[in-house]
Amino acid sequence: MRVFAEQRRSEATERGSEARLSFRRVGASTVIDSAFATSPLRILMPRNHGRAAWAYTSTLGGGLVDGDAIRLRVQVGPGAAAALLSQGQNRVYRSPGGCRSDLSADIEEGGFLALLPDPTVCFAGASYEQKTELRLAPGAAAVAVDVLAAGRSARGERWAFRRYSGELSVRSGERVLVRERLLLDPDHGPLVERLGRFDALCTLLLAGDALREERKALARRIHAEPLPARAAVIEQANEIGGGALVVRIASVSLEDALRAVREHLRFLPDLLGDDPWARRP
């Protein structure tokens, strides 16, 4: 295992963490071409399996504290296949001034990126803003998962954060496929009452022509599934312009949400050459 982290404590790194990660195809496989991160972000790279290259993100201290701002830029080269995961849950601690993370990825022609972080867990008093931007070249494809948990429910911190904002945008060439934002703010009404019995919210994205058949099969499966009264998992699939599928999931438990995601993405091991949920660095 290799760990790339820059620990210099300069004025710039006190304000935020800058990170870059690029993947390149070599023969039939993909390698990590370059990796750089400043504290508190770290990038870990276990041995490659299959045709894809794997990278995991983690933070020093196990989460984000007040004032943390992480910016990660990812590039997937032509024909390369990459999986970007996290080493554990994205914990956001109490943050009066707020925390944020920005991820932007350029996926070049024929490239594939699977963005599979662990759930985000915002503690009581946390304020967190997240932005994800994916830019696909012709023939590129991407899968992205974003799961937000209710918080530390066992400690009475269920939907107890100050504010959560999550933005997702996907562009294919010059065409915008997806641009959406989820805002959860108690100023708009008590979150516990608004979210009711649900303890997890999830967005699942499949984009790019290379995933056309997977998108169709997943949409058919969700549309055909009966919805019983007080179902433990509620799902909605929206096909967007023939180039993307967005699935939204509300679940009464985090475990049910993760189980649904893994079921919907059961085709991923064949694309990556290994099971992304069976490995940890």
Side-chain angles (χ1 to χ4, degrees):
M1 181 191 304
R2 294 173 293 165
V3 178
F4 284 69
E6 180 63 47
Q7 304 295 335
R8 293 174 297 178
R9 303 297 296 175
S10 66
E11 180 179 355
T13 58
E14 291 289 341
R15 291 195 298 266
S17 175
E18 296 284 349
R20 298 184 298 276
L21 181 62
S22 65
F23 299 87
R24 176 170 56 93
R25 180 169 178 172
V26 177
S29 300
T30 298
V31 299
I32 294 177
D33 195 38
S34 64
F36 171 82
T38 58
S39 179
L41 188 66
R42 299 189 303 166
I43 299 175
L44 298 89
M45 288 156 286
R47 187 185 301 271
N48 290 357
H49 285 236
R51 65 179 292 261
W54 302 67
Y56 289 78
T57 61
S58 68
T59 53
L60 299 174
L64 299 177
V65 299
D66 194 33
D68 279 347
I70 291 175
R71 291 173 290 274
L72 174 58
R73 304 294 179 257
V74 179
Q75 183 173 17
V76 180
L84 180 59
L85 307 94
S86 57
Q87 197 179 20
Q89 292 181 340
N90 177 30
R91 297 180 178 88
V92 184
Y93 298 106
R94 184 179 183 276
S95 40
C99 310
R100 73 175 190 271
S101 65
D102 298 333
L103 184 149
S104 67
D106 290 286
I107 306 153
E108 299 185 33
E109 185 171 0
F112 174 68
L113 174 64
L115 183 61
L116 308 169
D118 285 300
T120 293
V121 180
C122 294
F123 290 14
S127 180
Y128 180 56
E129 179 179 345
Q130 173 181 284
K131 294 182 179 180
T132 303
E133 182 179 9
L134 305 178
R135 295 181 289 268
L136 281 63
V143 166
V145 175
D146 181 51
V147 180
L148 175 65
R152 299 189 297 179
S153 298
R155 298 194 177 190
E157 296 183 7
R158 185 174 180 272
W159 301 118
F161 48 80
R162 288 180 55 245
R163 188 176 187 271
Y164 171 86
S165 174
E167 295 186 23
L168 171 66
S169 65
V170 183
R171 182 183 293 271
S172 179
E174 297 302 317
R175 181 185 178 193
V176 176
L177 297 178
V178 178
R179 181 170 289 165
E180 66 172 24
R181 183 186 185 198
L182 171 65
L183 176 62
L184 296 176
D185 191 328
D187 288 345
H188 302 156
L191 294 181
V192 172
E193 295 180 12
R194 291 163 59 194
L195 293 165
R197 59 196 179 92
F198 298 106
D199 271 2
L201 301 177
C202 174
T203 299
L204 172 60
L205 168 80
L206 281 69
D209 289 342
L211 297 177
R212 183 185 296 110
E213 295 305 316
E214 288 81 2
R215 295 200 311 269
K216 290 180 179 179
L218 178 52
R220 284 195 301 266
R221 189 161 66 248
I222 291 177
H223 291 154
E225 189 73 21
L227 185 62
R230 295 189 64 81
V233 177
I234 296 178
E235 301 177 310
Q236 181 185 44
N238 295 301
E239 299 176 77
I240 301 174
L245 177 72
V246 176
V247 177
R248 296 175 180 86
I249 302 172
S251 173
V252 297
S253 74
L254 179 58
E255 292 75 17
D256 285 339
L258 296 177
R259 190 177 302 112
V261 167
R262 294 173 185 179
E263 173 63 21
H264 293 332
L265 298 181
R266 57 193 178 192
F267 61 86
L268 268 186
D270 289 338
L271 292 179
L272 298 174
D274 203 348
D275 186 344
W277 293 284
R279 301 182 57 208
R280 275 293 184 269

